[in-house]
Amino acid sequence: MAAQTTPALMDGTLSNGSEPMADTQATIQPASIPRSEADRLVTGRGRFVDTISLPHMLHLAFVRSPVAHGKLVSVETTAAASMPGVSAVFTASDFEPVVAEIPQTKLAIMPGHVSPPQPPLAHQTIRFQGEPVAVVAAETAMQAQDAAAAITMELEELPPVASAEAAEQSGATSASNLEFDKGDKTQRELVRIEAELSFARQTGVTMEPRGIVVSYDPVEDRLAVWHSHQSPHLVQVLLAKALGLPEHRVLVQAPDVGGGFGVKLHLYPDEIAAAVASRLLGKPVKYIATRMEAFASDAHAREFTARAAVTMTKEGALAGMEADFANPIGAYSIYPRSSVGDSVHAATQLGAPYQLAYLSTRARTYWQNKTPSGAIRGVGQPVPCTVTEQLMDRAARHLGEDPAAFRRRHYLAADAFPLTTLGGIPMERLSLTECLDLLLEKMDYTGLRKEQARLRKKGILRGIGIATFIEQTAVGPGLYGAAGVPATSIEEARLRLEADGCVRVETGATDQGQGTLTGIRQIVAGLLGVDLLQVEVTASSSAGARGGGAWASRGLSLAGEAAALAAQTLRDNILAAAGQLLQLELSALRLEAGIIRGPGGEGITLSELAQKTWYRPHEFPEPVAELFSVSRSYVLEGRPHLMANGVQASLVEVDAETGVVTPIRHWIVEDCGHIVNPALVDGQLMGGAAQGIGGALSEACIYDRDGQLLSASFLDYAVPRADNVPPFEIFHVSTPQTGTELGIKGVGEAGTVGAPAALWGAVNDAIAHLGAQVNCQPLTSAAIYRALASAAKPLD
């Protein structure tokens, strides 16, 4: 996979001739260094939850409902309790004396959206297949699984609401409704182009399944937790609430985490059950989800039906967009952030990059007897991006206009920023035209169109898809804080200059492969003028620096800002202390390559200064004890989020006889502001795009009409393989974020947001001249074959 950057756009000058970057940004020169933990992980020295073993630890296995909807009459546990190695078997009634608060997701900003309470173990009512009903604690995982298999339950089955159609048709299952109707609809004689598009359910499929180790100490009434999770501080707050413990008596650590993708941003009932079981037993317990459990219980997302339309004047000017999004979200609103994020993004982001006279959207969510949906990489943004870009393609095709030129003609004007879209999204600056122009140049768009026409004469179906995307990043306190969800929006960084001249950094960010800690290391080293090897970054504990963890592409855009502020403070303190010894003003000193120097070349090394500070502070004329340990926090104020943008393009070939899609090449031009580590940025873009391509081509959580999950293994849930993922060519435009030290916007979800739209556009571009189009995702060979078979025109 070829990843390329554009040097002319990486030197601190914008492609559109804007002002150079601020001094702080220029100090952090882009450098593609490997992730700090890479060597440790690739040599098998990772410490994941499943590697943790504690004295007297028991293993947990869950009994899950085999039906999607029903009344739980009884659970028979006698046989299981007497099996070898079994310490205890718990049902909901055993947990009642210990659980202080049963999780129930409520949003203050959407008072009509209130989830049914979701107990750690199902009590009386079963709402989805895979819901935990009982849990076994045994000496080994195998003993626990054997005992779980011996448990029987009596169920009274009830009719399930399983299909999207059934959920939408039943008014009693409505979970939320969000509507936008803004702008001027007074234009007459509009050309209207409609589309009905559907999106299948997906899940995150992390390399490391969910897992948790919990150790309750009955003597001190404390809970220690090791959790494969993206946000330790969130888990600390939620487990303290669930068990009625003070937060300071709950310690949550996230060791190495093998992928998160949003799946590990929630707190699941089986994880709460593990904490309750440890408290009842007074012993450590471990639960590692099996892969089949993960498919049935991890968060799902993106199940949508969209009835959409684009309108134009007869002269071909874009007028407006309309859409009605129906989004079944499962049996519960996932704890604690809710399951409405997908639909909110759908309603607000439709048509966002384009000049629209009006926007009319409605996004409805529905309860159904399926696994709850939740945050998965991109949180709904791929859906409005794909719907928007499909409408733009169809409008351009109707006019006989080149789709790239049609987009450029209707982009938001550069002089219109800052603005708030008709969907209510504030945007400070997007580089839409710059990204598109660079993309078309790098992919040789004109040459590809000529090649496409030549191949079409030979009956070869080749398609080019272009997708303009926005990525809403670094969400601030205005979202979850206003909603009443205890998700930390403030990022803290703690820095300490050690006696040997090294710098220790604590951050509230977490890292599941993004390279966030490496980026923070580069920021601190750059601002302090020290070698990277002198900086140590630690994270992933609720006892450390406070922060939100990893979500919404917030790593360097928010946690990096906190680290930069702390590093600047520490640098000033270092210069002030050195000034005492050298009898120079702070402004006359500079810190470079680990040496503090004055104007005449006089100086002192950082390690010498640190040793004097920690061991001989009496040599300083004024106190220095407080100078070398600093803590700074950063919160996004004055704006609800940051906004990145870009354009992706996909080149595919469609087999006319089978409908099989072969991706050939994929291009990404992206603007995430100032870049600290190009290799990490490009890696995030490639990984995100691969995930988006998998969702577009093959991934689907398939249920039958009884609510039974049919795709609960890799035999049936098709993640992308190496031959599905084409070479990536990546380029960058840099528009630094205003009002920040670093100018960073975020990049973690961009690839996933734009790739499905680009690929879908390429497939329909390959077959549209035959009168065929595909309206459902995933774009399976069967769906494409059916579209070709019913096409209005024969193959040339």
Side-chain angles (χ1 to χ4, degrees), residues 204-217:
V205 196
T206 57
M207 184 176 294
E208 177 203 19
R210 290 187 297 109
I212 188 169
V213 171
V214 186
S215 179
Y216 174 71
D217 183 343

Side-chain angles (χ1 to χ4, degrees), residues 324-619:
D324 189 341
F325 295 97
N327 175 210
I329 60 174
Y332 301 93
S333 191
I334 204 160
Y335 187 66
R337 295 167 181 260
S338 90
S339 299
V340 300
D342 280 6
S343 66
V344 170
H345 280 313
T348 58
Q349 289 193 6
L350 184 75
Y354 299 102
Q355 299 181 52
L356 301 177
Y358 77 91
L359 176 72
S360 180
T361 61
R362 182 185 184 194
R364 296 165 291 156
T365 64
Y366 300 95
W367 303 116
Q368 61 178 173
N369 297 113
K370 290 183 181 178
T371 303
S373 63
I376 291 180
R377 195 176 196 170
V379 191
Q381 297 178 89
V383 173
C385 178
T386 299
V387 174
T388 297
E389 296 304 292
Q390 279 291 295
L391 292 175
M392 294 298 287
D393 279 340
R394 296 179 191 208
R397 200 171 292 131
H398 175 82
L399 296 171
E401 188 171 341
D402 177 79
F406 184 71
R407 284 169 168 80
R408 183 192 286 107
R409 185 156 66 91
H410 293 107
Y411 277 153
L412 293 168
D415 59 4
F417 294 98
L419 57 80
T420 297
T421 69
L422 293 176
I425 302 172
M427 295 178 176
E428 294 179 38
R429 175 67 203 279
L430 300 184
S431 54
L432 300 169
T433 301
E434 295 91 338
C435 287
L436 180 63
D437 289 347
L438 183 59
L439 173 81
L440 299 182
E441 172 196 339
K442 293 298 182 180
M443 69 185 289
D444 185 18
Y445 181 75
T446 301
L448 288 175
R449 284 296 182 194
K450 291 179 180 178
E451 178 73 358
Q452 179 189 40
R454 185 183 67 81
L455 292 173
R456 187 171 289 176
K457 293 177 181 178
K458 297 182 178 181
I460 297 174
L461 304 181
R462 187 162 288 188
I464 303 166
I466 293 176
T468 304
F469 67 89
I470 60 171
E471 183 196 1
Q472 198 167 312
T473 74
V475 175
L479 177 61
Y480 288 118
V485 177
T488 299
S489 296
I490 297 177
E491 296 295 330
E492 179 188 15
R494 301 174 185 171
L495 272 64
R496 185 171 71 238
L497 177 64
E498 302 289 12
D500 63 353
C502 292
V503 179
R504 185 177 299 277
V505 183
E506 275 188 19
T507 176
T510 59
D511 197 326
Q512 297 86 46
Q514 301 95 324
T516 302
L517 303 189
T518 299
I520 289 175
R521 188 182 182 199
Q522 290 178 258
I523 290 167
V524 172
L527 290 174
L528 291 180
V530 301
D531 189 271
L532 281 169
L533 295 177
Q534 290 179 259
V535 179
E536 177 78 12
V537 182
T538 60
S540 305
S541 170
S542 64
R546 195 169 185 90
W551 50 280
S553 301
R554 64 190 296 105
L556 295 193
S557 51
L558 296 185
E561 283 288 308
L565 293 173
Q568 289 170 334
T569 301
L570 181 58
R571 181 188 60 199
D572 290 346
N573 290 354
I574 288 169
L575 296 178
Q580 291 189 44
L581 296 178
L582 300 175
Q583 297 184 344
L584 292 169
E585 294 294 329
L586 185 150
S587 59
L589 297 170
R590 65 184 188 276
L591 173 55
E592 296 175 347
I595 302 175
I596 303 101
R597 296 188 186 277
E602 66 275 37
I604 183 173
T605 67
L606 193 58
S607 59
E608 290 172 337
L609 179 67
Q611 288 177 26
K612 285 180 179 290
T613 301
W614 290 110
Y615 302 142
R616 302 192 301 278
H618 60 280
E619 296 183 9

Side-chain angles (χ1 to χ4, degrees), residues 56 58-59 80-81 83-90 136-139 281 283:
H56 313 296
L58 300 173
H59 296 261
M83 292 179 69
V86 174
S87 293
V89 180
F90 298 114
V136 177
E139 294 173 3
L281 293 164
K283 292 183 178 181

Side-chain angles (χ1 to χ4, degrees), residues 153-236:
M153 65 185 81
E154 183 181 350
L155 294 165
E156 178 186 328
E157 288 196 55
L158 298 173
V161 176
S163 69
E165 295 77 13
E168 187 176 358
Q169 290 168 6
S170 174
T173 66
S174 178
S176 70
N177 184 42
L178 183 65
E179 296 186 43
F180 281 88
D181 196 354
K182 299 286 182 66
D184 180 11
K185 288 186 178 181
T186 59
Q187 298 182 65
R188 296 290 183 265
E189 298 183 357
L190 295 178
V191 177
R192 180 182 178 87
I193 300 171
E194 298 182 345
E196 185 166 336
L197 308 170
S198 65
F199 301 78
R201 272 189 164 230
Q202 300 172 21
T203 187
V205 196
T206 57
M207 184 176 294
E208 177 203 19
R210 290 187 297 109
I212 188 169
V213 171
V214 186
S215 179
Y216 174 71
D217 183 343
V219 176
E220 295 191 357
D221 193 27
R222 292 181 182 273
L223 202 69
V225 181
W226 293 261
H227 198 183
S228 184
H229 201 274
Q230 296 170 230
S231 184
H233 283 99
L234 177 67
V235 176
Q236 177 192 40

